[in-house]
Amino acid sequence: MNENNNNKRNKGGRTPKGDPSIHRHVFRLTDAENAQLLSLFEASRMPNKAKFIISLLFNKEMKSVKIDKGKIDFYMRLTSFHSQFRLVGVNYNQIVKLLYRHFSEKKAAAFLYKLEKQTAEMAVLCQKIIQITEEFEEKYLKK
């Protein structure tokens, strides 16, 4: 009875795999081939080189994502510019309220006329921003 209890006892450690990888293959690459392999490996974002090479050998599905820092930077700046543009709109509303509160209607109308010209220029600028954003999305984001 003592022998049965000893066989069931957990001795610790990791549980053995059902199908362990025991076969090993070695191959050599030139410097150019190695550089190409490493760049593909980095682009794949796989956890280790062995899994990457196995996926290449057996044509398993492998996703490679290329991230262009320039495009990301441009998109982030465009986004921040858009938020600043919205803040200008908030300030615009505050200025109009202050003009009517602190000036006569005639003076406020004169200032608003100048502000209206600037607003028309900003509207043209906003249309250009939208056009640039759409072009950027068509060229780079929808591939």
Side-chain angles (χ1 to χ4, degrees):
M1 194 143 145
N2 245 352
E3 289 178 21
N4 277 344
N5 289 339
N6 287 339
N7 288 341
K8 292 181 183 179
R9 184 192 236 176
N10 187 3
K11 294 185 180 182
R14 172 169 91 177
T15 56
K17 293 181 178 180
D19 187 20
S21 301
I22 57 172
H23 302 285
R24 181 179 177 161
H25 299 275
V26 177
F27 60 95
R28 299 188 187 278
L29 301 173
T30 64
D31 288 337
E33 292 169 340
N34 188 45
Q36 186 178 4
L37 178 73
L38 291 177
S39 67
L40 288 172
F41 171 65
E42 289 173 4
S44 71
R45 300 208 182 240
M46 291 193 100
N48 60 36
K49 288 181 195 172
K51 289 184 180 181
F52 170 72
I53 292 171
I54 289 170
S55 68
L56 285 178
L57 287 174
F58 297 115
N59 294 325
K60 292 183 180 176
E61 183 178 339
M62 179 183 67
K63 295 180 181 179
S64 178
V65 178
K66 292 184 180 179
I67 298 174
D68 188 356
K69 297 289 183 183
K71 293 175 188 174
I72 291 174
D73 187 42
F74 176 77
Y75 193 75
M76 293 300 293
R77 288 180 187 227
L78 194 62
T79 303
S80 68
F81 184 70
H82 180 69
S83 65
Q84 289 175 1
F85 192 76
R86 283 194 349 239
L87 290 174
V88 168
V90 171
N91 290 341
Y92 181 84
N93 290 338
Q94 292 173 351
I95 288 172
V96 170
K97 287 179 185 177
L98 287 173
L99 283 176
Y100 278 113
R101 189 178 302 155
H102 294 292
F103 294 104
S104 66
E105 280 191 41
K106 195 172 187 180
K107 268 191 171 179
F111 285 126
L112 282 177
Y113 179 71
K114 291 179 183 178
L115 190 61
E116 191 175 312
K117 285 183 179 180
Q118 296 295 322
T119 305
E121 290 177 18
M122 281 183 46
V124 170
L125 183 63
C126 182
Q127 292 300 320
K128 286 182 182 177
I129 292 170
I130 291 170
Q131 179 186 2
I132 290 171
T133 305
E134 288 173 353
E135 287 175 7
F136 181 79
E137 286 178 353
E138 286 176 13
K139 286 183 180 177
Y140 301 110
L141 297 181
K142 292 186 179 179
K143 283 190 175 183

